[in-house]
Amino acid sequence: MTFLTAKAMERGDGFSEGAFNIEDPGHRLKHFLDSCPEGYNRASSHIDGFQAGQGGGHRGIDLGLPYGKHTLLYGAMNKGMLGLGEDRLFLKMEEHGCRLLQRDPQGAPPSRPWHLRDIGDFLGHAAGYFKTVLRTISGGKLFPNARDSRKERIPSDISRDFKSILKHLDRTGQGRCAALLRENTPLAKAQGIRTLFFNLSQAVNAPDLHLDQETRTMLTALWDKLAARYDHLDVRIGNEIVLDKEELSPPSHLPPHEMMQRAAVQNATALLKTAVASLLEVRDPQHVTSSHVEQFTRALTKMAMTFSRGGGGPEVRTMIERSVHDGIQILSPSQKEHLRALLAHPRLRGGMAAINEAPFASEIFIRAGITDTMMEGGVAVAQRAVRAYLTLCEGVGFDPQLDDLQPAEEDREMATSLLVSAGSDLEVSEKTTQRLGYEAAMHRLREEQVGLMRIDDIRRQVGPGVHAIGTDAEAIFHSDRVNEEGIHQRITNRLAEYLITRPDHGIRGLNSEFVVDFLRNGITVNGQRFGATGTNILQQAQEEEVQRFIDAVGGYEKARQIAHIAHQGAFAILMLDGLQPDPGFQEVFATYSAFPGQPVGHDGPQSFFSLDVQGDNITLRCENRQQKVNEEGREMGLNLFLQVRLEGVGTNEVGLSLDRWDAVVSSRSRE
């Protein structure tokens, strides 16, 4: 459930109470939960229509859950039952278990024994149920749901609009249309929005109903509201969190970065539709209230939160544009015209102006007493929310000119509250996701030959700051003793020394160590490979290959300076001089050097060099991968990496900066 909560928060759907409706092909996740020995069969009032199906009886597991909940209720939703097109799983986190209300359908898994604490849970559950009844009777005035409640019930405004349509049809004698809308009882607990939306679609598109303009307008308005507010309309029951298998586990053939971007756009589109739908509920643009503004900006900041791991700069702007385009393309021309009038309202523009000025008013975050990480997240959310708003305005033909507005103090207070909350949610989501991903990746990598992997592939799985993987490796690395600033300074000093002191006695006047390494292993310049011809070719061929490299980087002086540092000998000394004196890495290098193993896994070079040449500015990337195995089957790996930026290459004043250094020591035992 922590994973599902994190996935919901990625979509901007952090919530304190509610339910999940997730795709579960073959009920594999349901069967996994059934295997828990602490599970029990129980009575439940939720989605009761599905409980009559095979394996559809509800079960509970009492355990610690997010948001202080203490029990998990779950049950299968079978494909083909009640018009559902796929197997799904219903899950709901609750405060109290319900073991004493046992219900054992035929063929259900066994229930755990009763415990004394079940009595207290039963009383707590009964009190909660009584509150729900009072809430329903009072129309939500007593014991109201939390603002961010995501339960599987049809929202009251949708239900009210649907009932109004039915009354209109009955009153005007349009019985056939009313009968079509009532098919499969849309307001039943197990039907809900998916059935209501399907029936509306059937009615709107049925040529033999001969709908009058008033009826068609009412049907279309509700259809448009649902389409603008929700995703997954073919399986959605109410306001629950709905996730399909791609959202839970994106296609594995896509690169990780592309998977994150794809998920961010999908989630942001759904949240933008929520923001737009909340605004379209205001029928008269002159009646926009502060509450409407807060609801809209809250939904927009949730949308902005989905891009926390989707990339940066132009990438995020492109994803926002895609999300806005996908989110409003379903709107009818009349809805877009109405939306334009609402977006132009002074109150709404004032609220967005307050969001717009937040990144330049850090004192609002300082006054709130939040951490630097939370403030950074809040500022990023503000910038992306404003970008989404401006793109949305552009999509409906309106220029809000936010920079010319002076927001009211009320708007500033609202913006502060939203952005501080967003920063806090991002910090929690990031820590939760990192913990889950880190633990899974570390478990997986302890079984791999990590020393043969690209350093960027390792980082994608375990994140920054992990320098040891595997039991033996983790025992010799001392993270608490690492002085990263000292390492950075030593490598930088050595780089500056190498640039001006290395001899140039090789082919075409380049450093001889570079020339040998170049001919053996090669180097990549702007994506094109040079060298790697071997040293046994004719001298003339060697000179021609070196000249090709000189021409590729822009001339002799540039090539000469690059050759001082872009070879294995220089790279090894740079890393050893930088890392070996460090208290955290000392034992790593001593142990790896003394490890009695043979190199494995390399049909080609162990070191890799690439250059990105942009005029006189050059970025050099150096990477070394090693894996050794001994006779007992124990293995150790070592990955080293540098990225150096050079400015003014080819001149007498070369600017040098170390962008990044990295190192990972690893171990594994083969049975």
Side-chain angles (χ1 to χ4, degrees):
M1 293 309 296
T2 302
F3 169 76
L4 291 178
T5 302
K7 295 301 290 185
M9 294 180 80
E10 285 180 9
R11 295 162 53 98
D13 288 337
F15 64 103
S16 60
E17 60 183 22
F20 290 90
N21 172 351
I22 67 174
E23 189 174 356
D24 186 21
H27 296 305
R28 287 177 293 181
L29 183 53
K30 163 71 162 54
H31 295 327
F32 170 75
L33 292 173
D34 285 344
S35 69
C36 176
E38 288 299 303
Y40 56 88
N41 303 307
R42 51 161 288 185
S44 167
S45 61
H46 298 276
I47 56 169
D48 50 3
F50 283 107
Q51 295 188 46
Q54 180 66 33
H58 284 184
R59 287 175 60 81
I61 301 174
D62 299 338
L63 72 167
L65 293 168
Y67 296 101
K69 306 300 183 183
H70 299 288
T71 190
L72 172 65
L73 167 71
Y74 70 93
M77 301 161 66
N78 293 330
K79 178 180 178 179
M81 189 171 188
L82 302 180
L84 191 65
E86 60 196 30
D87 289 333
R88 302 191 68 84
L89 180 66
F90 173 82
L91 305 107
K92 185 173 184 289
M93 296 186 292
E94 297 183 337
E95 292 185 22
H96 302 283
C98 198
R99 173 66 180 84
L100 296 188
L101 283 180
Q102 184 168 334
R103 178 182 294 172
D104 290 315
Q106 185 176 0
S111 295
R112 67 160 172 82
W114 290 5
H115 300 311
L116 187 61
R117 68 172 185 271
D118 292 335
I119 298 175
D121 281 339
F122 171 75
L123 295 175
H125 188 87
Y129 181 76
F130 183 62
K131 290 180 180 179
T132 300
V133 172
L134 291 178
R135 182 186 305 125
T136 303
I137 294 173
S138 67
K141 295 179 180 179
L142 295 175
F143 307 108
N145 285 317
R147 178 195 292 270
D148 50 4
S149 174
R150 299 301 303 269
K151 296 183 178 180
E152 78 286 3
R153 303 187 186 97
I154 299 176
S156 57
D157 65 313
I158 300 293
S159 177
R160 184 170 56 249
D161 289 350
F162 183 65
K163 291 176 181 177
S164 295
I165 291 173
L166 292 177
K167 287 182 180 178
H168 166 77
L169 294 174
D170 293 338
R171 186 175 62 251
T172 56
Q174 300 182 72
R176 289 182 58 215
C177 184
L180 180 57
L181 292 182
R182 288 189 171 103
E183 279 189 7
N184 297 316
T185 322
L187 299 184
K189 291 181 180 179
Q191 296 286 358
I193 286 174
R194 64 189 181 90
T195 304
L196 196 158
F197 186 75
F198 178 81
N199 290 357
L200 279 171
S201 301
Q202 293 289 99
V204 168
N205 295 297
D208 58 333
L209 288 181
H210 306 294
L211 302 175
D212 59 57
Q213 188 57 47
E214 182 182 6
T215 300
R216 181 172 295 278
T217 299
M218 294 177 71
L219 294 176
T220 303
L222 182 53
W223 192 97
D224 287 343
K225 177 186 284 191
L226 291 172
R229 182 183 300 184
Y230 291 118
D231 56 4
H232 301 293
L233 286 162
D234 57 330
V235 296
R236 178 176 293 280
I237 297 172
N239 202 37
E240 75 273 19
I241 302 291
V242 182
L243 298 168
D244 62 24
K245 61 184 179 183
E246 275 201 5
E247 292 166 315
L248 292 170
S249 180
S252 59
H253 66 274
L254 296 176
H257 187 61
E258 188 175 333
M259 286 194 291
M260 286 191 291
Q261 289 189 347
R262 179 173 174 170
V265 170
Q266 289 176 339
N267 297 337
T269 301
L271 288 161
L272 179 84
K273 291 172 70 175
T274 300
V276 169
S278 72
L279 205 54
L280 288 175
E281 290 175 10
V282 184
R283 299 187 177 183
D284 185 348
Q286 299 305 313
H287 294 163
V288 173
T289 66
S290 298
S291 176
H292 295 135
V293 173
E294 181 181 1
Q295 190 175 5
F296 173 77
T297 52
R298 183 181 298 278
L300 211 59
T301 55
K302 282 189 175 184
M303 175 200 175
M305 289 168 61
T306 64
F307 297 114
S308 61
R309 285 186 294 278
E315 284 186 334
V316 166
R317 181 166 184 159
T318 299
M319 288 190 289
I320 289 174
E321 290 172 352
R322 284 171 54 194
S323 299
V324 172
H325 173 269
D326 294 347
I328 66 174
Q329 66 176 353
I330 192 70
L331 298 182
S332 64
S334 61
Q335 281 183 309
K336 288 184 178 180
E337 183 179 351
H338 186 47
L339 180 60
R340 181 167 58 248
L342 292 164
L343 292 172
H345 193 280
R347 282 193 174 183
L348 195 140
R349 291 175 64 224
M352 290 308 304
I355 299 286
N356 187 43
E357 75 170 13
F360 310 102
S362 58
E363 66 272 9
I364 69 172
F365 297 105
I366 295 173
R367 287 200 303 268
I370 66 174
T371 66
D372 290 343
T373 303
M374 292 165 63
M375 181 168 71
E376 182 181 341
V379 168
V381 166
Q383 293 170 332
R384 292 165 184 179
V386 169
R387 169 51 50 194
Y389 172 72
L390 294 176
T391 306
L392 179 60
C393 290
E394 182 181 349
V396 296
F398 167 62
D399 181 5
Q401 299 179 343
L402 292 184
D403 293 336
D404 299 334
L405 293 178
Q406 187 69 21
E409 192 59 34
E410 177 187 11
D411 295 326
R412 290 194 175 100
E413 291 177 0
M414 177 202 67
T416 301
S417 174
L418 289 178
L419 296 176
V420 168
S421 176
S424 176
D425 282 350
L426 279 179
E427 187 175 53
V428 171
S429 176
E430 191 69 24
K431 288 180 178 178
T432 301
T433 304
Q434 285 179 357
R435 185 178 72 250
L436 291 170
Y438 168 80
E439 291 173 354
M442 288 293 283
H443 178 76
R444 181 172 59 254
L445 289 175
R446 289 185 182 109
E447 305 299 321
E448 301 289 335
Q449 290 184 314
V450 177
L452 303 181
M453 297 174 61
R454 295 175 64 250
I455 199 84
D456 285 347
D457 291 337
I458 299 171
R459 287 286 163 244
R460 286 191 189 99
Q461 298 185 59
V462 299
V466 177
H467 296 291
I469 298 173
T471 304
D472 293 343
E474 291 162 20
I476 60 175
F477 174 68
H478 307 287
S479 60
D480 57 327
R481 303 179 192 173
V482 174
N483 181 352
E484 295 196 5
E485 185 177 344
I487 294 171
H488 189 282
Q489 192 60 53
R490 284 192 295 273
I491 295 176
T492 301
N493 292 343
R494 197 68 156 131
L495 276 167
E497 178 186 338
Y498 258 65
L499 269 177
I500 61 175
T501 62
R502 306 308 294 166
D504 304 314
H505 302 318
I507 294 175
R508 290 287 197 266
L510 301 186
N511 178 270
S512 57
E513 290 180 88
F514 167 82
V515 171
V516 172
D517 196 38
F518 170 77
L519 292 172
R520 287 176 176 170
N521 301 315
I523 190 169
T524 301
V525 180
N526 290 346
Q528 184 177 355
R529 192 76 173 157
F530 295 89
T533 58
T535 56
N536 294 325
I537 62 175
L538 294 175
Q539 179 71 17
Q540 181 180 349
Q542 293 182 19
E543 292 182 358
E544 290 174 352
E545 191 64 23
V546 171
Q547 186 60 49
R548 289 181 64 236
F549 167 74
I550 293 173
D551 295 340
V553 299
Y556 169 71
E557 279 301 323
K558 292 180 181 178
R560 185 181 67 83
Q561 292 173 342
I562 293 168
H564 289 167
I565 58 175
H567 60 87
Q568 290 192 62
F571 182 37
I573 292 174
L574 287 169
M575 296 304 289
L576 284 173
D577 285 359
L579 295 172
Q580 198 166 25
D582 185 81
F585 282 97
Q586 277 179 346
E587 192 176 351
V588 167
F589 281 92
T591 303
Y592 186 80
S593 300
F595 185 76
Q598 296 298 318
V600 296
H602 285 289
D603 296 325
Q606 292 178 298
S607 294
F608 305 85
F609 297 86
S610 66
L611 298 171
D612 179 16
V613 180
Q614 303 293 331
D616 294 341
N617 299 328
I618 295 177
T619 299
L620 167 66
R621 289 168 59 94
C622 317
E623 183 168 358
N624 183 272
R625 311 168 200 159
Q626 303 176 39
Q627 186 81 13
K628 297 194 291 186
V629 59
N630 67 12
E631 295 179 355
E632 299 173 355
R634 291 176 56 238
E635 297 187 40
M636 288 199 74
L638 185 63
N639 304 71
L640 303 173
F641 177 88
L642 281 180
Q643 180 168 308
V644 182
R645 188 154 31 92
L646 305 171
E647 298 179 353
V649 182
T651 70
N652 292 327
E653 297 183 1
V654 180
L656 180 152
S657 61
L658 175 58
D659 285 346
R660 174 185 162 198
W661 65 266
D662 207 344
V664 175
V665 61
S666 56
S667 62
R668 77 167 185 166
S669 296
R670 295 188 299 178
E671 300 299 335

